[in-house]
């Protein structure tokens, strides 16, 4: 049920902070088990900050407010087109898209189409596979942050010119 709610938040394009309450009641053995369970079950939202809190003792409640502020700032973050294209050029130079049907699609340029959540449009010479798209999304997160917010990367292949 929790994963369904998390997926609804991601689908709505909203910022996300995972807060685990009653963490003060968890012993060390159970804590290690829960950490592993979180890694497996919540792999699709690794970008979301996680805060372990105790509402009763107010343990780490201040960290929750900071995580929410970070998530909202990332949700509204805008990346300049020139900086985005420089990063995309580095990504493609280091790890080009694999050959597909004898041709290698290239990223011509990209732009940030919107914020709330951040949406990026990549103009390419062909279709980019989902795995490569996730790779580009992960690298954009590493470069620009975007902690606590989903980002959308869409691809617009260039139309072939008719003569």
């Amino acid at each position: 049920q929790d994963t369904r709610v998390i997926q609804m938040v991601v689908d709505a394009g909203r910022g996300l902070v995972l807060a685990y309450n009653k963490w003060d009641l968890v012993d060390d053995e159970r804590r290690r088990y829960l950490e592993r369970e979180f890694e497996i079950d919540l792999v699709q939202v690794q970008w979301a900050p996680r805060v372990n809190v105790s509402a009763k003792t107010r343990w780490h409640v201040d960290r929750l407010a900071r995580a929410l502020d970070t998530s909202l700032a990332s949700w509204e973050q805008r990346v300049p087109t020139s900086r985005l294209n420089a990063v995309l050029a580095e990504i493609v130079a280091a790890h080009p898209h694999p050959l597909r049907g004898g041709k290698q699609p290239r990223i011509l340029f990209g732009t940030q189409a919107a914020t709330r959540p951040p949406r990026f449009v990549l103009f390419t010479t062909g279709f980019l596979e989902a795995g490569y798209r996730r790779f580009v999304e992960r690298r954009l997160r590493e470069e620009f942050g975007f902690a606590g917010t989903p980002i959308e990367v869409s691809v617009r292949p260039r139309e072939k010119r008719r003569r």
Side-chain angles (χ1 to χ4, degrees), residues 88-101:
L88 288 173
E90 290 174 15
I91 292 171
V92 172
H95 299 283
H97 190 283
L99 288 176
R100 185 172 177 263

Side-chain angles (χ1 to χ4, degrees), residues 19-161:
Y20 297 103
N21 193 19
K22 300 187 179 187
W23 202 252
D24 57 331
L25 301 178
V26 179
D27 63 358
D28 287 337
E29 185 178 324
R30 178 77 175 138
R31 187 170 292 158
R32 282 193 297 277
Y33 174 76
L34 285 173
E35 294 282 347
R36 183 72 182 130
E37 192 175 311
F38 296 149
E39 288 175 10
I40 293 169
D41 292 345
L42 302 176
V43 70
Q44 75 273 15
V45 289
Q46 288 178 340
W47 44 264
R50 215 180 89 210
V51 182
N52 302 325
V53 298
S54 172
K56 185 176 181 181
T57 63
R58 306 209 29 93
W59 183 71
H60 285 181
V61 173
D62 58 326
R63 291 185 184 182
L64 183 59
R66 283 193 303 247
L68 288 168
D69 288 341
T70 301
S71 180
L72 282 173
S74 295
W75 193 56
E76 296 176 338
Q77 181 178 348
R78 178 162 291 283
V79 176
T81 302
S82 60
R83 179 115 162 78
L84 174 64
N85 284 314
V87 169
L88 288 173
E90 290 174 15
I91 292 171
V92 172
H95 299 283
H97 190 283
L99 288 176
R100 185 172 177 263
K103 294 184 180 180
Q104 186 176 38
R106 291 179 300 125
I107 297 175
L108 300 172
F109 65 96
T111 186
Q112 185 173 358
T115 59
R116 297 180 171 194
R119 289 187 180 100
F120 296 94
V121 179
L122 305 179
F123 294 88
T124 64
T125 59
F127 179 75
L128 296 183
E129 294 177 4
Y132 193 75
R133 223 181 294 175
R134 282 190 305 270
F135 166 72
V136 170
E137 178 183 333
R138 192 180 82 243
R139 291 295 308 271
L140 290 175
R141 279 188 189 287
E142 290 171 3
E143 191 68 32
F144 300 116
F146 295 115
T149 184
I151 62 174
E152 297 175 15
V153 177
S154 61
V155 176
R156 294 238 178 107
R158 179 173 60 187
E159 297 292 325
K160 293 189 177 180
R161 296 179 186 162

